[in-house]
Amino acid sequence: MNSVTVRNLLVRGMLAGLAAGLLALVVSYFLGEPRVDEAIAFEESHSHEHGGAELVTRTMQSTGGLATGILVYGVAFGGIAALAYCFALGRIGRFGPRASALLLSTAGLIAVYVVPFLKYPANPPAVGDPDTLNQRTVLFFLMVALSVLLAVATVILGKRLAPSLGNWNATLAAGAFFVLVVGLAYAFLPSFNEVPKDFPGTLLWQYRLAALSIQVTLWTAFGLVFGLLAERVLAPKPARTEGKTPEARATPVAH
């Protein structure tokens, strides 16, 4: 793949990331922010400390701050995903541009978010010990790195087993390897149970579902939009010749 094609896909990946970020912003505003407000209200009602004035108001956080964060993240995410697409194209099977984009986004969602999320799920305000914040952050990103590396190793393993086992059996064997190693990581990495006893379980469940919904929206929308844009770069349709029959287009004009 030449540098011009990579550049075109990179730009389109960033545009697709921006579009996906807009959709994720809508989901976040209507599903996530109400849960955050409820968690903050719970935290304030159970806190005996009174801080000073807020540097950034809650209104600004839930509007301008939220939009800036998600849209910037969407553009950066789209660019990185587009580069990964350029590397993976042709190495993950004989799929078209759209199918490859959707397959890559699905695999990315599982490896980058779902697998780490199941071990270290998102927590709303008032949940989590501040003293373990750094440790939890490091472990979450460690889980992300491990999951991505395992996903790459799973693809390589599946391709190497395919000639001897067949595609179906090789896929099952590679998938079993991924699940086994992830399960071992879940078992040996430390866990945290820092939910206050009186914190509403329904609110915690709704918050985590909202966080998952935002990521599903982001990755799915990116896969669909980027697949369409990538197809126009990699498999452009021939120009139409309207008003002419095939014989007329094939017959040269005499002078």
Side-chain angles (χ1 to χ4, degrees):
M1 186 177 294
N2 59 54
S3 60
V4 175
T5 303
V6 172
R7 184 180 67 237
N8 289 337
L9 289 174
L10 175 61
V11 172
R12 283 159 177 78
M14 295 171 71
L15 291 175
L18 178 62
L22 287 171
L23 292 176
L25 175 61
V26 174
V27 175
S28 179
Y29 184 79
F30 287 104
L31 291 184
E33 288 305 306
R35 309 290 89 78
V36 174
D37 289 336
E38 292 179 38
I40 290 175
F42 173 89
E43 185 178 35
E44 291 176 346
S45 65
H46 289 73
S47 176
H48 301 289
E49 299 179 2
H50 300 280
E54 294 180 327
L55 296 178
V56 180
T57 64
R58 174 62 189 145
T59 301
M60 179 58 68
Q61 292 174 5
S62 62
T63 53
L66 177 67
T68 301
I70 291 183
L71 294 181
V72 170
Y73 174 81
V75 172
F77 149 80
I80 295 172
L83 293 177
Y85 177 86
C86 293
F87 176 79
L89 194 64
R91 293 182 171 90
I92 57 176
R94 297 180 179 180
F95 299 101
R98 287 194 188 186
S100 295
L102 196 55
L103 182 61
L104 181 66
S105 63
T106 302
L109 172 64
I110 294 172
V112 176
Y113 191 78
V114 174
V115 170
F117 176 87
L118 293 176
K119 176 64 178 177
Y120 301 111
N123 287 326
V127 174
D129 185 352
D131 294 334
T132 64
L133 176 60
N134 291 336
Q135 184 183 6
R136 285 184 281 119
T137 302
V138 170
L139 287 172
F140 177 81
F141 283 107
L142 174 63
M143 195 70 221
V144 172
L146 177 62
S147 179
V148 171
L149 290 175
L150 280 175
V152 174
T154 298
V155 174
I156 295 174
L157 178 63
K159 290 178 71 69
R160 292 191 175 182
L161 292 177
S164 57
L165 299 181
N167 291 333
W168 179 254
N169 291 330
T171 300
L172 291 178
F177 164 78
F178 181 82
V179 172
L180 175 62
V181 179
V182 167
L184 290 174
Y186 282 1
F188 286 101
L189 288 176
S191 300
F192 300 91
N193 184 15
E194 300 172 344
V195 181
K197 293 182 179 180
D198 52 349
F199 191 87
T202 301
L203 175 57
L204 179 63
W205 176 248
Q206 290 175 344
Y207 178 87
R208 289 176 174 174
L209 275 182
L212 183 60
S213 299
I214 293 167
Q215 292 294 325
V216 170
T217 301
L218 182 70
W219 286 89
T220 303
F222 172 81
L224 294 173
V225 175
F226 180 68
L228 176 62
L229 297 178
E231 186 178 52
R232 295 181 177 180
V233 174
L234 299 173
K237 294 181 179 180
R240 294 181 178 179
T241 307
E242 297 182 358
K244 293 184 178 181
T245 64
E247 292 79 7
R249 290 196 297 265
T251 304
V253 179
H255 294 280

